[in-house]
Amino acid sequence: MEHGLNITYLLRRCDAFLIYTVTKEVCEMPVEQIVAIVIFVIMFALVITEKIEKHITTLICGAAMMLFVFGFCMGWNFEMMWSVLSLESVTHLGFWYGHADHGAGIDWATIIFLAGMMVMVEGMAKAGFFRWLCMTLAKLVKYKVLPIFLVFMVMSACLAMFIDSITVILFLAAVTIELAHLLKFNPVPMILAEIFCANLGGSATMCGDPPNIIIGSALNLSFFDFLSNTGLIAAVSLVFIVLYFYLCFRKQYAQAGKDVDVSSMPDPASVITDKRGFFISIGIFLVVVVLLITHSSTQLSVATIGVVSAVLTLVGSPKSAGHILKLVDYKTLLFFIGLFIVVGGLQNTGVLDIIAAWISSICGDNLMLMIAIIIWISGIASAFIDNIPFATIMVPIIETLSGGNVPMLHTLAYSLAMGTDIGGSATPIGASANVVGVSVASKAGYPIGWGQYCRYMAPATLIVMTISTVAIWLMAGLLTF
Amino acid sequence: MAQEQLIISIGREFGSGGHLIAEMVAEHFHLPLYDYNLLQEIAAGKNIDVSNLKKYDELPRRRFFHRTVKGHHSSPEVNIAQMQFDFIRQKASEGESFVIVGRCAEEVLKGHDALVALFINGDHDKKLERIKKLYNLNHEDAEALMQTTNRKRKNYHNHFCTTKWGDSRNYELCINASRIGYEETAEIIESYICHRFPDLDLV
């Protein structure tokens, strides 16, 4: 057969060309870029395989980035090392009050805010707030399963706007299982819906999901910026999602729990372990919500709000302060620190500029295509890998892509936020809330496999991703014209 | 002071007759036998349907497509295994005597005073014959089933334990049941246990 008609031969030629092009590109790269990419790939592989604890992996890779890239490859560039550590940023007034310029490196504002919120949430959990809220709402709807299903979805989304979705699902799933035993229904559909709504609620605000904190903090976006953009999309999506899950499970839940005597149900007040702590924690939560909503007017940074929430919680419960501090997830904070150093290495060596140039070469000046690519690539990637490293890498990339055009940068930021926050819902491993929800259900004797999970969650993800794409297109269209 | 508790953990190769031997030993000492029924017990305690759990019994987690967050695993296989390990630990700590087949019990209860850890293996041909007879399979299918099941057991064990499946250093006795027969193997085990705990006085 002629070579020109032989498809196998053509494919081999294409493969050879691709390998040649990639090899040529790599050979032309400065050595520091190659080393930075190798360190990042090793870090990502180790994080995915979980052979070593995640925070140890990122810290070692961060140290390797410092030593090999900024040290050996770049001639011991101490100035760059110092800028990646960003320790000086904490001493600037703008870090605590007003606006701070965010460079490549550790985003201490995100770390401090996360730590503060962890302290506050631990205080609330200890006082029994979450169980009380779930039980109160269940009582309000007279322990009818279908209304509980709908109310818990909305509650999950609302709580996740201000509290990390892991905590929301940890308590909500546990209460759902407890109610399932008492009211004799299958808790799996309800837990799945709660997980999805927690991820959706998290996308609505700057503090709802770690990628949003990273994006918002790096690009100086306010709580209100998120609320009026991703919040609006999340609110519209929530209506569709509640309807979607209702249609999926209405038959299963319509008759459930009808023969159960609800007079024996536990009194919501009985789950409060510490009355004084309970009211204090609600007060602190409300103060923090107000501070977050008004932080663009008060000029208080998220770092300051994090410190305020932690201090108020610890001062409000002095006896439990030590215990609460012990419960803070330091491993996650260390994971973030290591991750920021590695991404800082990629940014300072220009690797992220190459990726931005590559995306730009595909999209050209077509903002709509760029939005779609950012949302869907972020979404698909987040369905299988941790969305936090992904968002951290993508922030400098969208900054480069926007070329200093602020409205365009914000549009891309919301695209990235929706993609990373929502895409993770599609699979059991996509987001932390999914893992926790699936685990809580499995431990209670309701194992959820990939098939069962994706059957309901993947279509829901597609629905919200589509709504997000259309909504951000419309927003971008309004900006353009 | 008399030994009032006895826990016999029996690891086994597929087709070696380990389960049958475990039944004989349990009957001899009048002990409950935990195997597949362990999940039944757990399900009854939690008031849930056991069929949801059975498909994940004694399976390793998938190599990829799982994730851990703050000690929570996305893999149902891991969660079901942990549930069984907790159940075994609880039974042991409550002072109950029992025989348990598989489920990494020799590692889960390592260091427990009442534990006797055993492993039963067998000759390839004898195991194959037993599988063919038990499951009414031809030679090829029996061979395939034996290899698949043993690989699953090995992966399951090695995933959850620091020690290797079938490694003689993890067990007090490793016996090839094909050489002397199942009843004789059970008798040797019973005799060993009587020597190991001369003051055995099960409540």
Side-chain angles (χ1 to χ4, degrees):
Chain A
M1 192 182 279
E2 289 278 325
H3 274 159
L5 296 172
N6 189 328
I7 292 174
T8 315
Y9 173 76
L10 275 175
L11 286 172
R12 275 190 199 144
R13 288 285 303 264
C14 286
D15 283 350
F17 179 72
L18 192 67
I19 292 166
Y20 167 76
T21 313
V22 172
T23 314
K24 189 168 168 279
E25 291 268 343
V26 171
C27 289
E28 286 172 359
M29 269 183 173
V31 67
E32 63 265 23
Q33 285 186 349
I34 297 170
V35 176
I37 292 170
V38 168
I39 291 172
F40 178 76
V41 170
I42 290 171
M43 183 197 81
F44 223 106
L46 288 173
V47 166
I48 289 171
T49 55
E50 296 182 345
K51 292 279 180 201
I52 307 171
E53 282 203 79
K54 281 199 301 185
H55 66 289
I56 295 173
T57 299
T58 60
L59 286 174
I60 290 175
C61 290
M65 194 67 90
M66 287 280 190
L67 190 68
F68 295 109
V69 176
F70 301 138
F72 293 121
C73 299
M74 298 175 83
W76 297 98
N77 190 335
F78 290 108
E79 197 181 326
M80 204 170 268
M81 284 184 192
W82 185 244
S83 91
V84 167
L85 289 175
S86 300
L87 289 168
E88 210 183 319
S89 66
V90 185
T91 62
H92 295 159
L93 179 65
F95 182 86
W96 304 101
Y97 181 78
H99 288 295
D101 289 327
H102 179 79
I106 302 173
D107 183 353
W108 289 107
T110 295
I111 308 277
I112 293 170
F113 177 72
L114 282 173
M117 293 304 274
M118 282 175 186
V119 171
M120 183 189 80
V121 168
E122 290 302 339
M124 290 171 80
K126 198 172 175 300
F129 172 79
F130 298 106
R131 266 174 61 77
W132 168 83
L133 185 63
C134 295
M135 287 302 188
T136 303
L137 287 175
K139 192 180 178 185
L140 273 177
V141 294
K142 299 186 172 62
Y143 299 104
K144 287 181 180 153
V145 178
L146 198 55
I148 289 176
F149 178 55
L150 300 174
V151 166
F152 276 19
M153 271 195 273
V154 177
M155 177 175 60
S156 178
C158 293
L159 280 176
M161 287 169 69
F162 303 99
I163 293 164
D164 75 289
S165 53
I166 299 176
T167 308
V168 171
I169 289 302
L170 205 54
F171 285 93
L172 207 45
V175 173
T176 302
I177 288 163
E178 196 179 331
L179 288 171
H181 284 157
L182 295 167
L183 297 171
K184 300 188 180 8
F185 66 87
N186 177 8
V188 171
M190 204 178 281
I191 291 173
L192 290 180
E194 288 160 5
I195 291 171
F196 194 92
C197 290
N199 290 330
L200 184 58
S203 72
T205 63
M206 185 173 156
C207 59
D209 209 10
N212 293 19
I213 304 168
I214 292 165
I215 295 166
S217 173
L219 305 178
N220 276 330
L221 290 169
S222 69
F223 184 89
F224 197 74
D225 287 331
F226 271 94
L227 196 64
S228 54
N229 289 280
T230 57
L232 201 62
I233 300 169
V236 173
S237 302
L238 185 63
V239 175
F240 282 87
I241 285 307
V242 169
L243 186 66
Y244 165 80
F245 281 115
Y246 171 78
L247 292 174
C248 286
F249 301 117
R250 69 188 190 286
K251 282 181 188 163
Q252 196 171 337
Y253 284 154
Q255 298 302 317
K258 292 220 161 157
D259 307 325
V260 179
D261 176 21
V262 295
S263 60
S264 58
M265 299 300 281
D267 180 19
S270 68
V271 301
I272 300 171
T273 53
D274 169 13
K275 270 198 174 172
R276 184 177 165 274
F278 174 79
F279 288 111
I280 288 174
S281 66
I282 290 179
I284 294 168
F285 177 61
L286 292 175
V287 167
V288 170
V289 169
V290 170
L291 286 177
L292 281 168
I293 291 171
T294 58
H295 86 114
S296 56
S297 318
T298 60
Q299 299 288 306
L300 292 176
S301 72
V302 287
T304 309
I305 296 171
V307 171
V308 169
S309 66
V311 170
L312 287 178
T313 305
L314 297 175
V315 170
S317 340
K319 283 181 189 168
S320 323
H323 180 64
I324 290 171
L325 282 173
K326 271 186 197 164
L327 293 174
V328 169
D329 184 8
Y330 296 103
K331 289 180 180 177
T332 298
L333 300 176
L334 292 172
F335 165 75
F336 270 92
I337 291 172
L339 177 68
F340 282 132
I341 297 173
V342 173
V343 175
L346 289 175
Q347 196 175 351
N348 279 315
T349 51
V351 173
L352 300 184
D353 290 337
I354 296 172
I355 299 172
W358 177 70
I359 295 174
S360 187
S361 71
I362 295 171
C363 305
D365 293 332
N366 191 337
L367 178 61
M368 301 303 177
L369 182 60
M370 211 178 273
I371 289 168
I373 285 179
I374 301 275
I375 290 183
W376 288 88
I377 288 185
S378 310
I380 293 165
S382 300
F384 298 97
I385 57 173
D386 197 336
N387 62 5
I388 296 167
F390 187 84
T392 315
I393 284 185
M394 286 301 289
V395 169
I397 292 176
I398 60 168
E399 274 183 296
T400 311
L401 283 173
S402 69
N405 180 337
V406 176
M408 182 178 167
L409 175 61
H410 289 183
T411 306
L412 295 180
Y414 302 134
S415 309
L416 177 62
M418 290 312 292
T420 48
D421 296 342
I422 301 303
S425 297
T427 68
I429 58 167
S432 304
N434 316 1
V435 178
V436 172
V438 165
S439 168
V440 170
S442 295
K443 282 175 187 164
Y446 301 95
I448 304 173
W450 268 70
Q452 189 184 11
Y453 183 96
C454 296
R455 189 176 154 201
Y456 297 107
M457 300 292 261
T461 307
L462 288 176
I463 291 169
V464 179
M465 295 275 284
T466 308
I467 293 171
S468 306
T469 310
V470 173
I472 296 178
W473 274 346
L474 288 173
M475 282 152 57
L478 290 175
L479 277 177
T480 314
F481 302 107
Chain B
M1 194 177 160
Q3 177 70 28
E4 293 180 346
Q5 188 183 15
L6 173 63
I7 300 169
I8 306 168
S9 137
I10 300 185
R12 76 292 184 212
E13 283 182 343
F14 187 60
S16 65
H19 193 272
L20 180 67
I21 293 163
E23 281 176 359
M24 291 174 186
V25 173
E27 198 182 327
H28 176 84
F29 288 106
H30 305 291
L31 298 178
L33 173 69
Y34 293 129
D35 49 10
Y36 321 105
N37 63 357
L38 193 67
L39 285 176
Q40 198 97 43
E41 289 246 347
I42 293 171
K46 290 180 183 278
N47 201 17
I48 50 176
D49 183 3
V50 73
S51 62
N52 287 336
L53 312 179
K54 272 187 175 167
K55 58 184 169 183
Y56 301 108
D57 187 24
E58 271 205 300
L59 287 177
R61 72 173 184 187
R62 294 174 192 201
R63 195 174 290 265
F64 298 104
F65 301 121
H66 60 83
R67 205 175 137 191
T68 312
V69 174
K70 292 187 183 179
H72 293 274
H73 298 272
S74 64
S75 159
E77 292 87 355
V78 173
N79 289 308
I80 300 300
Q82 295 294 355
M83 201 188 273
Q84 297 191 64
F85 300 159
D86 291 343
F87 186 83
I88 297 168
R89 280 191 201 101
Q90 189 193 335
K91 289 276 175 195
S93 67
E94 285 169 355
E96 192 180 310
S97 296
F98 54 90
V99 177
I100 179 151
V101 179
R103 282 132 193 100
C104 305
E106 89 284 353
E107 171 111 354
V108 172
L109 299 178
K110 200 171 191 171
H112 197 289
D113 292 338
L115 177 70
V116 179
L118 313 166
F119 191 83
I120 310 293
N121 56 14
D123 291 336
H124 185 270
D125 294 347
K126 292 275 172 58
K127 287 190 291 183
L128 211 56
E129 278 307 312
R130 185 174 152 76
I131 294 166
K132 278 157 72 176
K133 206 171 154 186
L134 268 179
Y135 297 94
N136 199 19
L137 295 173
N138 62 31
H139 186 84
E140 287 75 25
D141 289 347
E143 178 81 47
L145 181 65
M146 186 169 78
Q147 287 196 6
T148 312
T149 311
N150 277 335
R151 192 173 55 242
K152 278 183 183 170
R153 283 181 185 171
K154 183 180 164 190
N155 290 344
Y156 167 81
H157 181 280
N158 293 353
H159 172 71
F160 292 107
C161 302
T162 51
T163 54
K164 300 288 176 202
W165 184 66
D167 184 334
S168 61
R169 286 169 292 188
N170 310 327
Y171 311 94
E172 292 183 30
L173 269 184
C174 291
I175 307 179
N176 184 332
S178 306
R179 300 291 167 93
I180 55 169
Y182 308 127
E183 280 182 21
E184 289 76 6
T185 306
E187 280 169 17
I188 286 176
I189 292 170
E190 288 151 17
S191 165
Y192 173 78
I193 289 168
C194 290
H195 280 87
R196 170 94 148 72
F197 298 116
D199 52 351
L200 187 65
D201 181 19
L202 297 175
V203 186

